[in-house]
Amino acid sequence: MDTQRMDAFPPDPGAARANPSGPLAGVRVLDLSAYIAGPYGCALLADQGADVIKIEPPDGDNLRQYPSTLPSESRAFLGVNRSKRGIVLDLKQAADHAVLLKLVRDADVLVHNFRPSVPQRLGIDFERLSLINPRLIYCAVTGYGETGPMKDKAGYDQVLQTMTGMCALQGRRGGPPEIIYGSVVDYYTAALLAAGVSSALFERERSGLGQFVGVSLLRSALTMQSARMIWAEGESLDIGRDMRSGGVTGIHPTRDGHIYISANTPRFWKALCEKTGLDDFAAQARYDSVRKRAEHAAEIVPRLHEALAQRGAMEWETLFGDEVPCAAARRIEDMFEHPQVLAEGIVGTIEHPRVGRYRAVAQSIKFGRTPGPAPFAAPMLGQDTEAVRAAVEAGTDAD
């Protein structure tokens, strides 16, 4: 591994905090959330310079216990909790509850993913905390929202995928529903969280007041399908919403590996035919639109597969170049050293007390004038509790 890249970031997380940078520098976020959506939304805020304090119960975020081939830490926890300080508070204990309320006084943002009925029981609902700090941006991440018959159900990524029709459309035509792996609903919720909080911070500069921000897995799963979720007046509800183009655009087998091909425009279709030796298809009016090709996919796809079987996926990727949008199917492991990923600085090296050095996503957004700070490792359970408690008791800033 390249030594120069391994040394790209300071091993001391304190060094990254000593000189805050990024468009959200000076913003303090209290992250009471667990699992993926809330924590990664807060990590995105940290990427932009916010000082994020992750507040965990004594047993820690449940994601710490998820299966991992790392012997000492959860790979998933490290991935969604970068660049945060970490403290432990038991909010059912009066002393710890008082510490949180003191932190709220000076905080800009609080994020949690409790069910809607829980914050009031814990004494940390929006109404109470906004009395303590009227400028507080209070973000609640829920499964189904704050109202309605399902508001107090726990929400999970793949449950919402299945409920909202994503899995039905993901599977093969006429086949069973299929899960989309990778927690796509959680990660999109995280992005909406970061966007919503940032917008609320911007509005606060005008009004001087904080506000409630609600994001939910249900809202996110449906928002992700906005191009499908259209029901025009007068049309049947059970109308075709499948946007796939009949099997030509999609993943195909080659002599070695698989390749994704997009051929939805006339130019791309013509180039695909020329590159694969299917010039006779390009000349026929029966195939000259996406809809026509979808209707005649049973004629096109077998011959396309015969042609693709003459070369491997990487060869086809090179041959198609910019003339046919495509990508050879790669593993996530291949991305650590991909030249485009390296050129963009998306992956960097982080130092962890137990794990040592590891490569991970380091920059989620690029800013030209106010670049975000160098990332540092997700906190070990309670690693900053003593320092933050001492600062709170002394009445000083909890840095």
Side-chain angles (χ1 to χ4, degrees):
M1 193 170 288
D2 192 317
T3 304
Q4 187 174 1
R5 284 200 299 272
M6 287 295 291
D7 292 335
F9 299 111
D12 176 17
R17 293 196 299 268
N19 298 298
S21 60
L24 293 182
V27 171
R28 173 162 294 162
V29 178
L30 305 180
D31 176 14
L32 280 73
S33 63
Y35 292 107
I36 294 177
Y40 197 67
C42 292
L44 294 176
L45 298 174
D47 288 347
Q48 298 172 67
D51 172 24
V52 180
I53 301 176
K54 185 174 180 67
I55 300 171
E56 299 179 71
D59 292 339
D61 183 334
N62 286 335
L63 199 61
R64 289 184 182 273
Q65 309 305 321
Y66 270 44
S68 173
T69 51
L70 288 173
S72 57
E73 293 289 338
S74 161
R75 196 180 307 275
F77 183 86
L78 293 180
V80 302
N81 286 286
R82 63 176 174 270
S83 302
K84 303 177 185 180
R85 292 187 280 167
I87 68 173
V88 168
L89 293 179
D90 183 351
L91 298 184
K92 296 178 181 178
Q93 301 299 319
D96 285 9
H97 190 274
V99 170
L100 176 64
L101 296 186
K102 289 179 181 178
L103 287 170
V104 166
R105 290 194 181 99
D106 296 319
D108 297 286
V109 180
L110 181 142
V111 176
H112 72 72
N113 67 335
F114 298 120
R115 302 182 202 188
S117 62
V118 173
Q120 189 169 22
R121 293 206 308 266
L122 292 176
I124 58 168
D125 52 284
F126 171 68
E127 289 73 19
R128 175 169 181 173
L129 297 190
S130 62
L131 291 175
I132 297 172
N133 180 356
R135 290 174 54 82
L136 183 69
I137 308 300
Y138 183 104
C139 182
V141 183
T142 61
Y144 301 90
E146 295 79 35
T147 59
M150 299 179 71
K151 66 177 183 178
D152 279 316
K153 284 181 65 70
Y156 300 96
D157 181 290
Q158 294 175 7
V159 172
L160 269 299
Q161 283 188 37
T162 308
M163 172 186 172
T164 60
M166 294 177 70
C167 298
L169 283 168
Q170 182 70 12
R172 293 182 180 276
R173 192 185 302 274
E178 293 183 9
I179 289 292
I180 307 168
Y181 290 100
S183 302
V184 292
V185 176
D186 280 336
Y187 281 104
Y188 190 62
T189 303
L192 292 179
L193 184 161
V197 165
S198 296
S199 295
L201 287 168
F202 178 78
E203 192 280 334
R204 191 181 70 175
E205 293 303 302
R206 296 171 171 172
S207 67
L209 295 173
Q211 64 177 298
F212 178 90
V213 176
V215 294
S216 71
L217 300 189
L218 174 62
R219 191 180 297 273
S220 298
L222 294 178
T223 300
M224 291 175 72
Q225 301 180 85
S226 293
R228 295 185 182 120
M229 199 165 180
I230 301 293
W231 183 16
E233 185 177 1
E235 74 171 345
S236 170
L237 175 58
D238 191 15
I239 197 77
R241 289 181 168 81
D242 188 349
M243 295 165 54
R244 290 177 288 191
S245 50
V248 177
T249 291
I251 296 178
H252 300 281
T254 70
R255 185 176 66 191
D256 179 19
H258 289 74
I259 189 167
Y260 175 85
I261 296 169
S262 176
N264 289 335
T265 69
R267 179 167 68 92
F268 296 149
W269 168 243
K270 181 181 178 182
L272 175 64
C273 292
E274 291 174 351
K275 296 288 186 180
T276 56
L278 301 177
D279 303 76
D280 56 317
F281 279 173
Q284 296 188 48
R286 66 191 275 111
Y287 305 137
D288 66 3
S289 73
V290 175
R291 288 188 179 182
K292 289 180 181 179
R293 291 193 288 275
E295 292 171 3
H296 301 291
E299 303 165 17
I300 300 172
V301 173
R303 285 198 53 196
L304 177 60
H305 285 181
E306 287 179 15
L308 293 174
Q310 304 307 307
R311 300 174 186 267
M314 298 300 290
E315 294 177 86
W316 281 117
E317 184 181 81
T318 301
L319 181 63
F320 289 147
D322 292 332
E323 297 181 63
V324 180
C326 67
R330 293 171 170 83
R331 307 172 306 157
I332 185 66
E333 289 82 0
D334 297 324
M335 292 295 98
F336 286 104
E337 294 293 335
H338 193 287
Q340 185 62 32
V341 173
L342 296 177
E344 280 290 292
I346 299 171
V347 169
T349 303
I350 299 176
E351 183 108 4
H352 189 276
R354 290 179 181 162
V355 177
R357 292 183 174 185
Y358 63 89
R359 304 286 296 283
V361 172
Q363 187 182 61
S364 54
I365 304 173
K366 182 187 292 186
F367 293 95
R369 187 172 55 81
T370 58
F376 54 91
M380 295 189 294
L381 183 60
Q383 72 175 29
D384 300 297
T385 301
E386 186 175 338
V388 171
R389 277 183 174 276
V392 168
E393 291 172 3
T396 60
D397 195 25
D399 284 330

